Amino acid sequence: GDSVTQMEGPVTLSEEAFLTINCTYTATGYPSLFWYVQYPGEGLQLLLKATKADDKGSNKGFEATYRKETTSFHLEKGSVQVSDSAVYFCALSGLSSGSARQLTFGSGTQLTVLP
Amino acid sequence: EAGVTQSPTHLIKTRGQQATLRCSPISGHTSVYWYQQALGLGLQFLLWYDEGEERNRGNFPPRFSGRQFPNYSSELNVNALELEDSALYLCASSSGTGNSPLHFGNGTRLTVT
């Protein structure tokens, strides 16, 4: 079945540092890939997405590129802020029977940015 | 537009009782998904409803059940509550077309004592 493997946390960075959170996936066919963010006490918010190979999703300074050859969708940001502190989830939308539109999530990575 | 709304925000039950959680999707969305987020276990897929029908369920026992109403709102029922059912239950909705993303509510925090 589909699966997502995400870099384990927690990750602690200083403000303005470069961020990379690794994500790799296993899926049949050509899934869509997503990054969601969860701020304390809230539900998940869609951060960015990519629906086909070589697509780059971007939002709020975050970027991720759909790499089919390495089955990866790593999240990057050039300069993090304290307000980016949250849990980040990588997810895929599989095309296997019965799961065309449900999401399979990675385990989440807790990011803390210190001033 | 109003987002996905879930009620109640918090729910405290004792072991063996039943819990009912409710979800209203974004207007125009026909698909509703339920996820369980237990501490340290990430998000586990529970149920998917589309156009009033159950389309798929995750690896949970039958005491987890639900339904979707004609107005596309949904209800999750958990019978014979166990301590390990304590978790944040997240509802999400989507328009049900192609690769439309899921939009999540803020969840219901269920505590079983």
Side-chain angles (χ1 to χ4, degrees):
Chain A
D2 297 344
S3 68
V4 176
T5 301
Q6 197 174 329
M7 171 179 169
E8 288 194 18
V11 174
T12 302
L13 296 173
S14 297
E15 207 165 24
E16 299 183 3
F18 184 85
L19 168 71
T20 299
I21 301 178
N22 290 337
C23 171
T24 57
Y25 68 89
T26 302
T28 53
Y30 301 93
S32 293
L33 301 173
F34 306 85
W35 277 100
Y36 280 82
V37 58
Q38 185 177 31
Y39 297 101
E42 298 183 11
L44 276 70
Q45 299 175 24
L46 177 66
L47 182 58
L48 52 85
K49 68 174 183 177
T51 58
K52 60 182 188 297
D54 299 325
D55 265 4
K56 177 186 281 188
S58 61
N59 186 27
K60 298 181 182 180
F62 291 90
E63 292 183 339
T65 301
Y66 188 162
R67 302 284 189 201
K68 194 174 189 321
E69 64 276 14
T70 54
T71 62
S72 65
F73 193 55
H74 305 322
L75 182 69
E76 296 182 337
K77 186 175 185 182
S79 176
V80 294
Q81 305 300 312
V82 172
S83 57
D84 294 326
S85 297
V87 181
Y88 293 81
F89 291 91
C90 184
L92 68 81
S93 176
L95 297 178
S96 55
S97 174
S99 65
R101 296 193 297 271
Q102 73 193 48
L103 290 175
T104 299
F105 284 91
S107 56
T109 301
Q110 171 76 57
L111 170 67
T112 301
V113 180
L114 302 176
Chain B
E1 69 181 1
V4 176
T5 57
Q6 292 186 244
S7 63
T9 305
H10 294 86
L11 189 57
I12 300 174
K13 295 284 187 179
T14 56
R15 194 169 48 186
Q17 285 189 315
Q18 178 196 40
T20 299
L21 289 64
R22 296 181 175 84
C23 172
S24 293
I26 290 172
S27 177
H29 285 188
T30 61
S31 284
V32 170
Y33 308 78
W34 289 95
Y35 285 83
Q36 182 195 64
Q37 187 177 23
L39 194 62
L41 293 179
L43 285 99
Q44 306 296 317
F45 168 70
L46 263 167
L47 289 160
W48 167 26
Y49 293 95
D50 184 51
E51 298 282 359
E53 304 266 339
E54 182 180 302
R55 300 298 184 182
N56 200 18
R57 66 178 291 130
N59 188 26
F60 281 83
R63 57 191 186 81
F64 286 84
S65 65
R67 53 181 171 165
Q68 185 178 35
F69 299 98
N71 65 355
Y72 303 115
S73 68
S74 177
E75 191 173 270
L76 173 69
N77 294 292
V78 188
N79 293 319
L81 284 165
E82 300 179 3
L83 295 177
E84 53 264 34
D85 296 333
S86 295
L88 181 67
Y89 289 83
L90 292 168
C91 173
S93 73
S94 77
S95 65
T97 58
N99 296 312
S100 54
L102 271 61
H103 298 263
F104 283 82
N106 285 341
T108 292
R109 172 72 64 186
L110 173 64
T111 302
V112 182
T113 62

